[in-house]
Amino acid sequence: MSFVLRAGERGYNKLQSTGPLASYISGHPEAVLTRHSSFNFGPYQAGRAGFGRLRVFGDEVFSGPGCGYNIHRHHNFIICAFVFQGELTHINTVGNIDQLTSGDYYVFSAGSGGKHCEVNVKNDDMHAIYMWFLPDQLLLPPSYRRNHFDALANRNQLVMLVGNADGALRLSQDVTVSRLSSDTAMALDYVPRSASHGVYVFVLEGDVQCDDVALARRDSSGIWGAERINLRTGPQETDLMIVETAP
Amino acid sequence: MSENLKRYICLGCGFLYDEALGLPEHGIAPGTRWADIPENWACPDCFTPKHLFQMVEIPYAAGEPHPPRVGPFVAPPEPALRVI
């Protein structure tokens, strides 16, 4: 079922590196991790279960040097991180130690088992969106790939970051992630691969008219059954993430 | 029989419970139905409670599942007594 989720309606968790979460959240003593969840995750269970193959959509800020998630194990989920501000250090047991800054993103497929650590080693806040997708096969070999979105070179163009497109990172699921970074009033029609695919539109910055719904900063909408979705941005800086998924 | 056996994924970390395989290393025999696992059971990896697992109908990747690496303990054969 289609829905509109306003920024303030999302789940909100403030996770501190002190107390019961000290083994999970790094950066003791002053680190604080905030997470706005579009879908049920962890302590937030009062919302929607997910959207198609998308299970987690976390809008997260790591504050305080050393803040993040200590190394911990996953299976199966395909975890993507898109960095918008600050620097994220990602360590995984595939064998990667990576540092990602604004525009960088990765796809970590935990498959048959992989651990990762997400940490902000800098004094400035790190802002990223984490997405988790169910895979199309269980226990795939774990993998990690990363890429960069050049906001300047791709200004005012809808760019596929994840999916079967040149320059995009592929993953083992019928999903795509696209981004539009604009600084002028634009109108475009987003056409899903089929009427059975769902489209989740998330406004990172700016104001967006999504068909007949006005979406402000951090508002989002999940849409099923549309042949096309009309998106209009204002003249100001606008940043938009679009996830398309099989049911 | 295996057609009716289901798979459940932990929504906290992705840990998989397959009814056909059970979790012998955690004392759950192969063939144990999800409904027969106690409600207070939690994910062995991340402690997410049982009710936050989701049933999935997703096939295994080629070559999976491997036989469990940690099986029931089997005592090695006694070394033969050698009289020198």
Side-chain angles (χ1 to χ4, degrees), chain A residues 174-187:
Chain A
D174 184 359
V175 295
T176 64
V177 179
S178 303
R179 181 174 173 187
L180 172 66
S181 192
S182 68
D183 60 0
T184 186
M186 289 183 65

Side-chain angles (χ1 to χ4, degrees), chain B residues 3-83:
Chain B
E3 283 176 22
N4 298 324
L5 294 170
K6 294 187 165 60
R7 296 166 191 164
Y8 296 81
I9 196 168
C10 172
L11 295 176
C13 74
F15 183 87
L16 185 69
Y17 179 74
D18 184 328
E19 289 181 333
L21 303 176
L23 286 171
E25 64 272 42
H26 296 286
I28 302 175
T32 302
R33 295 290 188 172
W34 184 245
D36 294 330
I37 294 176
E39 289 309 308
N40 64 357
W41 185 82
C43 174
D45 273 7
C46 76
F47 313 112
T48 287
K50 181 189 172 190
H51 73 274
L52 296 181
F53 277 62
Q54 182 196 333
M55 199 269 285
V56 292
E57 292 178 328
I58 303 174
Y60 279 107
E64 294 290 351
H66 278 81
R69 268 167 283 182
V70 183
F73 178 75
V74 178
E78 289 287 328
L81 198 62
R82 294 178 67 189
V83 179

Side-chain angles (χ1 to χ4, degrees), chain A residues 17-213:
Chain A
S17 56
T18 51
L21 294 179
S23 67
Y24 179 50
I25 301 297
S26 64
H28 182 79
E30 74 273 54
V32 175
L33 192 158
T34 60
R35 180 202 294 145
H36 283 91
S37 297
S38 297
F39 309 113
N40 292 347
F41 180 64
Y44 171 64
Q45 294 293 331
R48 293 174 179 82
F51 185 75
R53 312 296 161 95
L54 177 63
R55 276 293 171 281
V56 171
F57 192 101
D59 178 6
E60 308 195 15
V61 177
F62 297 5
S63 299
C67 182
Y69 297 103
N70 283 313
I71 195 155
H72 60 277
R73 185 154 80 158
H74 286 282
H75 289 84
N76 294 306
F77 275 114
I78 302 165
I79 297 170
C80 306
F82 303 84
V83 178
F84 302 105
Q85 179 196 335
E87 182 182 282
L88 170 66
T89 299
H90 166 96
I91 301 169
N92 65 49
T93 54
V94 179
N96 305 95
I97 301 174
D98 206 355
Q99 289 183 308
L100 302 101
T101 57
S102 180
D104 292 335
Y105 62 102
Y106 74 67
V107 173
F108 171 55
S109 175
S112 58
K115 295 181 182 180
H116 72 140
C117 167
E118 307 288 309
V119 67
N120 175 10
V121 296
K122 297 293 173 69
N123 288 309
D124 297 332
D125 287 359
M126 192 289 297
H127 174 223
I129 286 183
Y130 283 91
M131 300 182 199
W132 294 19
F133 297 100
L134 287 168
D136 63 1
Q137 296 175 71
L138 298 170
L139 306 183
L140 285 160
S143 64
Y144 176 82
R145 281 160 300 146
R146 62 109 75 193
N147 204 352
H148 178 71
F149 169 78
D150 186 336
L152 204 58
N154 292 296
R155 193 143 287 268
N156 303 322
Q157 297 174 61
L158 184 66
V159 176
M160 190 182 288
L161 305 183
V162 172
N164 293 329
D166 288 344
L169 294 182
R170 295 180 181 218
L171 50 73
S172 190
Q173 184 50 279
D174 184 359
V175 295
T176 64
V177 179
S178 303
R179 181 174 173 187
L180 172 66
S181 192
S182 68
D183 60 0
T184 186
M186 289 183 65
L188 63 95
D189 280 335
Y190 186 91
V191 180
R193 280 179 61 188
S194 81
S196 71
H197 282 70
V199 178
Y200 181 64
V201 178
F202 180 87
V203 180
L204 198 62
E205 303 293 342
D207 294 292
V208 174
Q209 188 73 24
C210 176
D211 287 332
D212 56 354
V213 177

